[in-house]
Amino acid sequence: MPQFVSIKSRILYEDNHILILNKLPSEIVQGDKTGDEPLVEILKRYLKEKYNKPGNVFLGVVHRLDRPVSGAVIFARTSKALTRLNELLREGKLQKTYWAVVKNRPPKEEGHLIHYLTRDTKKNKSFAFNRVKSDSKKAELKYRLLNSSDNFHLLEIQLLTGRHHQIRAQLTAIGCPVKGDLKYGFPRTNKNASIHLHARKIDFIHPVKKERIEIIAEAPLNDPLWKYFS
């Protein structure tokens, strides 16, 4: 399976029910207006070839990561697993931890952020407010400062809700836009169009086996800043 070497090396977990992949910043999880081939279709071809499956292969998208974001993303290999994983997400029982590199040191070494997010679909952007607005949704996360270099700071973020561009909007609201995130106020883009936001860890109870699954995804080590902090 030579065409799937990159994919195989980035699979963090695979069984009959679930597949977890370490996504690269340039990849899209589901199809969008760019017409680029999404990961869900690439992985279907990978599974079809690996298991010599006739006909269509089922693969459900449990959650998405924005295109410029890297890290662990979960796919369901059966409709039963998809339904149960979606339930875990809704119930807050699928824990997601992110790493973010920011230029500005946050006001506190750790904090619990609560904002109310509104979404502009035309701009594909969310805006964070300190009080309820019309059509806003409550967004919560916890962060702590893990490490610092001369110019940047590494934050660990635990998502408590799953809103559109939530981490990006909330960090900007406290004056800490993610490195490379021009859309949310960082002054420059990264050369490869990535942003320094990485889905570092996923922790949940397997929907079928009922075992605890904890997956850690390495940050892109071809990036000097991620390499420094890793």
Side-chain angles (χ1 to χ4, degrees):
M1 300 167 67
Q3 73 269 44
F4 296 118
V5 169
S6 169
I7 288 290
K8 283 178 70 177
S9 67
R10 292 187 286 119
I11 289 175
L12 304 172
Y13 181 90
E14 182 186 348
D15 65 15
N16 292 333
H17 314 282
I18 294 170
L19 190 152
I20 303 176
L21 183 82
N22 194 353
K23 171 189 161 332
L24 299 176
S26 58
E27 294 172 325
I28 54 173
V29 175
Q30 280 183 306
D32 64 11
K33 61 186 178 185
T34 64
D36 293 344
E37 187 176 26
L39 276 174
V40 67
E41 296 302 325
I42 295 169
L43 286 169
K44 281 179 183 178
R45 288 193 286 109
Y46 161 79
L47 292 168
K48 185 178 177 70
E49 186 165 325
K50 179 178 179 180
Y51 297 105
N52 197 22
K53 284 181 172 282
N56 294 329
V57 172
F58 179 89
L59 195 67
V61 175
V62 177
H63 67 112
R64 289 182 292 179
L65 292 178
D66 301 333
R67 184 172 199 147
V69 178
S70 58
V73 59
I74 310 174
F75 299 88
R77 293 193 54 199
T78 65
S79 56
K80 178 181 175 182
L82 181 61
T83 300
R84 291 187 179 178
L85 286 164
N86 283 336
E87 285 172 5
L88 290 180
L89 260 182
R90 275 195 304 272
E91 294 166 1
K93 294 178 180 176
L94 201 157
Q95 307 276 320
K96 291 188 279 185
T97 304
Y98 287 75
W99 277 2
V101 176
V102 298
K103 174 78 172 172
N104 301 326
R105 189 183 179 95
K108 299 176 182 176
E109 292 214 346
E110 52 186 87
H112 183 175
L113 303 183
I114 300 176
H115 291 98
Y116 297 89
L117 265 55
T118 62
R119 182 174 177 178
D120 185 327
T121 51
K122 287 183 181 176
K123 292 180 180 175
N124 189 32
K125 187 174 179 180
S126 291
F127 298 86
F129 299 93
N130 290 324
R131 54 178 63 90
V132 177
K133 293 271 186 178
S134 175
D135 296 326
S136 66
K137 292 182 176 178
K138 189 178 182 181
E140 281 189 79
L141 62 78
K142 291 180 179 179
Y143 76 84
R144 66 187 180 107
L145 180 65
L146 289 185
N147 202 349
S148 297
S149 68
D150 290 342
N151 297 307
F152 295 100
H153 307 281
L154 176 67
L155 305 182
E156 180 184 79
I157 293 154
Q158 184 186 354
L159 267 186
L160 303 179
T161 53
R163 307 300 183 201
H164 176 260
H165 290 182
Q166 177 182 335
I167 295 172
R168 299 163 69 181
Q170 287 196 271
L171 289 183
T172 291
I174 63 165
C176 300
V178 174
K179 182 182 179 295
D181 198 356
L182 198 66
K183 177 172 275 192
Y184 284 92
F186 196 82
R188 295 178 304 283
T189 57
N190 290 337
K191 287 180 181 177
N192 64 355
S194 71
I195 63 175
H196 276 75
L197 181 61
H198 177 73
R200 172 68 173 169
K201 188 171 83 168
I202 292 177
D203 190 338
F204 61 100
I205 300 299
H206 194 291
V208 179
K209 298 178 179 178
K210 305 303 180 188
E211 301 166 350
R212 185 182 175 203
I213 305 290
E214 183 179 289
I215 299 296
I216 291 178
E218 286 287 347
L221 296 182
N222 59 348
D223 179 289
L225 201 49
W226 279 130
K227 192 170 184 179
Y228 174 86
F229 282 128
S230 295

